[in-house]
Amino acid sequence: MTQIGQDLNVAAQLLQAGKTVAIPTETVYGLAADALKADAVAEIFRLKNRPAFDPLIIHLANADGLEKYASGLNKNFIKLYERFSPGPISYVLPKKDSIPDLVTAGHPTVAVRFPKHPSAQALLKMLDFPLAAPSANLFGKVSPTNAKDVAEQLGANLDYILDGGQCEVGLESTIIDLSASNPKVLRLGGLSIEELEDCLGQKIEFTKNSSSNPKAPGMLSAHYSPGIPVLFGHLGENLKNVNRQRCGSISFCKAVAGISAENQRILSPKGDLKEAAAKLFGSLRSFEKGSIDLILAEEFPAEGLGRAINDRLNRASAT
Ligand code: TXA
Ligand code: MG
């Protein structure tokens, strides 16, 4: 049986011994191991059933010692780091040899993040190595936002789940590639592009990634599957063609006519995209299989975190 607890010493000792431990971050829970030990990292891939071509993010408490793992700490990095880290942003930087190729799936770059969650911060400060940590879900499934969700997917195979409560942000980090001359967002996430643009004082490109894009091999279209088909788009239109009694709904702030109250997830009645983002993954997981056949998901406003929410819903709907 997996232990769930709040003991930082237990987590640190297991990680020092080369084991994997699920850890809380402010975005989603991560499945962590010593990023400098290839065999510990290999265990992450095995437990998640993750293809080896999908690189991992490494986590540090702060940028002290970052030069051991990455180069290219240029002006843009410093500006963004000072404003947003620790927080929900990952930086893709040229990698150094200390990081095993398995972590980066053979890429010459490494993604680095400084999580803000107090338990993640405290744990990282106890360790003298970075933690490689993908989201703590089985490959292709919805990312967990509390310890119980981790246990449901990976529980049987883990030594320890460090419980840090409910994730505050609820969406994975925004990934920004700083390895080329022009900064580029590779994954929408918990920090909006508008905030990044405001900080750097320039437009930032976001290219939708696909499995054919080698720069971001993990961003496959079919991801975040809740195990029930999802129909994403204009709710009013989609409602015309379905059996409403067998549908669940995910909407931003308004109720959906014709769907029973228990099958509705209204993510933020007051219309706050941050609140909606924090509730998204839990809501996707919460539908009871068997009682509905389809989840209708509304398109969110295409601004701020709404873009990241639409990205996740779109991928949850891909088959
Ligand atoms: O919020 C988060 O980022 C969470 C928490 C646990 O920190 N982690 C997370 O990891 O979402 P994961 O493995 O589920 O997603 C990481 C994404 C993958 O899609 C991967 O392809 C991309 O980051 N990635 C990692 N290293 C990269 C690199 N060097 N270049 C481009 N993309 C990279
Ligand atoms: Mg993931």
Side-chain angles (χ1 to χ4, degrees):
M1 258 303 279
T2 311
Q3 269 211 64
I4 302 183
Q6 297 180 1
D7 194 331
L8 289 167
N9 289 312
V10 170
Q13 277 159 22
L14 285 164
L15 291 163
Q16 278 153 350
K19 305 270 195 214
T20 51
V21 172
I23 62 162
T25 84
E26 73 281 15
T27 57
V28 299
Y29 274 67
L31 181 58
D34 181 344
L36 307 182
K37 280 198 187 115
D39 49 351
V41 172
E43 185 63 5
I44 294 179
F45 282 92
R46 196 186 68 80
L47 286 172
K48 266 191 70 114
N49 201 9
R50 181 178 176 114
F53 61 74
D54 192 0
L56 305 179
I57 298 173
I58 67 164
H59 298 69
L60 289 163
N62 52 53
D64 298 348
L66 176 59
E67 323 77 64
K68 285 189 274 182
Y69 313 115
S71 55
L73 311 183
N74 55 24
K75 239 195 258 157
N76 283 340
F77 172 78
I78 292 164
K79 274 193 208 162
L80 293 167
Y81 177 84
E82 283 179 352
R83 171 106 60 116
F84 300 119
S85 290
I89 174 168
S90 298
Y91 309 92
V92 171
L93 299 165
K95 113 187 211 337
K96 293 219 172 139
D97 288 346
S98 57
I99 300 295
D101 285 336
L102 187 59
V103 171
T104 64
H107 287 265
T109 53
V110 61
V112 186
R113 181 160 113 74
F114 311 92
K116 190 174 188 171
H117 191 291
S119 305
Q121 273 287 321
L123 181 64
L124 287 163
K125 286 185 177 147
M126 292 164 77
L127 304 171
D128 60 359
F129 48 81
L131 289 175
S135 49
N137 50 281
L138 289 169
F139 184 69
K141 299 291 178 201
V142 181
S143 303
T145 48
N146 59 50
K148 195 177 123 277
D149 289 347
V150 177
E152 264 172 35
Q153 286 199 41
L154 293 171
N157 299 315
L158 289 181
D159 290 318
Y160 198 62
I161 299 173
L162 184 63
D163 191 351
Q166 190 68 33
C167 299
E168 201 185 314
V169 177
L171 289 176
E172 298 87 345
S173 61
T174 297
I175 302 180
I176 185 160
D177 186 354
L178 299 176
S179 68
S181 50
N182 245 349
K184 214 162 76 182
V185 165
L186 301 181
R187 176 176 75 182
L188 298 169
L191 194 67
S192 69
I193 289 204
E194 291 93 325
E195 286 177 277
L196 297 173
E197 288 178 337
D198 178 62
C199 176
L200 294 184
Q202 69 174 93
K203 269 276 182 222
I204 299 178
E205 193 189 330
F206 166 61
T207 28
K208 231 178 156 47
N209 293 292
S210 71
S211 49
S212 58
N213 178 353
K215 193 74 191 175
M219 294 155 202
L220 305 172
S221 47
H223 238 81
Y224 304 96
S225 162
I228 300 170
V230 176
L231 189 56
F232 170 58
H234 194 281
L235 261 185
E237 283 304 308
N238 286 338
L239 271 167
K240 290 181 190 157
N241 310 312
V242 298
N243 173 0
R244 296 180 192 196
Q245 272 161 4
R246 299 287 302 167
C247 281
S249 64
I250 292 188
S251 60
F252 182 22
C253 46
K254 293 202 183 91
V256 183
I259 300 217
S260 73
E262 83 236 32
N263 289 335
Q264 292 204 35
R265 307 290 178 266
I266 303 168
L267 299 192
S268 175
K270 65 172 190 275
D272 175 2
L273 286 169
K274 259 197 172 155
E275 182 187 26
K279 290 202 185 142
L280 177 66
F281 288 161
S283 299
L284 270 173
R285 284 172 187 285
S286 67
F287 293 104
E288 206 169 310
K289 289 196 187 84
S291 70
I292 59 163
D293 306 320
L294 184 67
I295 301 168
L296 292 176
E298 173 175 44
E299 206 164 317
F300 282 63
E303 62 189 27
L305 295 188
R307 291 182 65 185
I309 293 173
N310 285 338
D311 170 79
R312 301 306 189 271
L313 286 172
N314 190 30
R315 288 200 252 170
S317 74
T319 44

